């Protein structure tokens, strides 16, 4: 019995059992759509992209000087003073040019009429920029178009055509300066909507300084007269 058990398997007539076949490999099912494949490939912990913030809308320029910053108020004050100086100088030059053309009354009456109109237009600008207390209210009530950027631009262009029509080299120079000043005035009026209110505030400050100087002068004169009598 022991010898039969120790007989090798290749001496026996019965064939050896065949090895078991390996198990088939499991393949992943193909995704039905590209979206499903993207969802399976994307990790679960990745957050969705944040929405792009909308572009900020620029704020409109303030119409009240109290709403402006100190830097903007200082810049506007400088623009107002430069505008006043430029308009005053040019209006005086136009009045002088018109006065020179008045000497041609008998030889060229049409130039005299044009010079008269240019002098009146320049005097209106001069009175506007002097900001005298007894003239300021009248101009604001009757010539308010000078504070509108479009109407003021048209007024300066009209005055420039009158100066150019005088057929004078001096008048052509004044016309060119009027066109340049019209563009500058329009830019300032559009850039600073608070121009008119701050301009009136500056005019009131000037009136207060003048009144204070007059009162101080009167007080000094009265005190000196009182002590001189003693």
């Amino acid at each position: 019995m022991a010898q039969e058990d120790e007989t090798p398997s290749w001496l026996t007539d019965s064939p050896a059992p065949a090895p078991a076949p390996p198990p088939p490999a499991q393949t992943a099912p193909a995704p039905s759509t590209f979206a499903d494949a993207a969802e399976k490939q994307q990790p679960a912990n990745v957050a969705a992209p944040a929405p792009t913030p909308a572009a900020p809308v620029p704020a409109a320029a303030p119409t009240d000087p109290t709403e402006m910053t100190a830097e903007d108020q200082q810049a506007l004050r400088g623009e107002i003073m430069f505008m006043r100086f430029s308009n005053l100088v040019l209006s005086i030059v136009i009045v002088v040019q018109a006065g020179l053309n008045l000497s041609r009354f008998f030889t060229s009456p049409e130039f005299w009429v044009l010079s008269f109109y240019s002098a009146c237009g320049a005097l209106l600008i001069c009175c506007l920029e002097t900001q005298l207390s007894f003239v300021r209210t009248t101009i604001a009530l009757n010539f308010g178009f000078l504070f509108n950027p479009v109407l003021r631009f048209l007024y300066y262009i009209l005055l420039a055509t009158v100066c150019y029509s005088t057929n004078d080299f001096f008048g052509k120079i004044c016309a060119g300066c009027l066109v340049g000043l019209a563009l500058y005035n329009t830019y300032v009026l559009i850039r600073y909507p608070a121009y008119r209110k701050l301009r009136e505030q500056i005019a009131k400050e000037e009136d207060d300084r003048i009144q204070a100087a007059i009162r101080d002068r009167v007080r000094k004169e009265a005190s000196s007269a009182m002590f001189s009598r003693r």
Side-chain angles (χ1 to χ4, degrees):
M1 292 295 292
Q3 291 179 358
E4 291 178 0
D5 294 337
E6 295 177 359
T7 303
S9 59
W10 55 274
L11 293 178
T12 60
D13 295 335
S14 59
Q26 296 181 358
T27 57
S32 57
T33 58
F34 292 102
D36 296 339
E39 290 179 359
K40 292 182 178 180
Q41 292 178 1
Q42 183 178 4
N45 58 353
V46 176
T52 304
V57 179
T63 57
D64 194 346
T66 57
E67 300 175 357
M68 302 175 63
T69 61
E71 293 79 7
D72 291 341
Q73 276 199 21
Q74 192 66 25
L76 181 54
R77 284 177 178 269
E79 297 287 353
I80 291 174
M81 297 305 296
F82 183 75
M83 277 183 62
R84 288 183 61 186
F85 177 77
S86 303
N87 289 324
L88 277 173
V89 170
L90 186 57
S91 62
I92 293 173
V93 171
I94 293 174
V95 171
V96 172
Q97 185 262 346
L100 294 176
N101 285 332
L102 291 178
S103 60
R104 297 190 293 174
F105 173 71
F106 297 102
T107 57
S108 302
E110 66 276 9
F111 295 131
W112 186 88
V113 175
L114 292 173
S115 300
F116 175 77
Y117 279 115
S118 63
C120 292
L123 287 175
L124 177 60
I125 297 175
C126 183
C127 293
L128 172 69
E129 298 300 340
T130 52
Q131 294 186 354
L132 298 176
S133 58
F134 59 90
V135 179
R136 186 170 63 246
T137 304
T138 304
I139 292 178
L141 293 176
N142 300 293
F143 302 98
F145 64 90
L146 292 174
F147 297 98
N148 184 282
V150 177
L151 297 179
R152 185 165 183 165
F153 177 79
L154 295 177
Y155 177 77
Y156 273 65
I157 295 300
L158 178 62
L159 186 59
T161 56
V162 174
C163 293
Y164 189 85
S165 300
T166 55
N167 200 15
D168 187 320
F169 180 73
F170 196 10
K172 293 179 181 179
I173 294 177
C174 293
C177 294
L178 276 171
V179 172
L181 195 56
L183 295 174
Y184 175 71
N185 291 342
T186 305
Y187 163 75
V188 173
L189 292 175
I190 294 176
R191 172 67 178 80
Y192 300 100
Y195 165 82
R196 184 171 185 177
K197 291 184 178 180
L198 186 58
R199 184 176 180 275
E200 293 175 356
Q201 179 180 340
I202 294 174
K204 291 179 181 179
E205 292 174 358
E206 291 178 354
D207 292 342
D208 294 340
R209 286 197 296 268
I210 292 173
Q211 293 296 331
I214 293 175
R215 288 194 297 267
D216 186 60
R217 182 68 178 178
V218 170
R219 185 170 58 254
K220 289 181 180 180
E221 292 291 339
S223 60
S224 62
M226 188 188 315
F227 287 115
S228 63
R229 289 179 182 178
R230 294 180 181 180

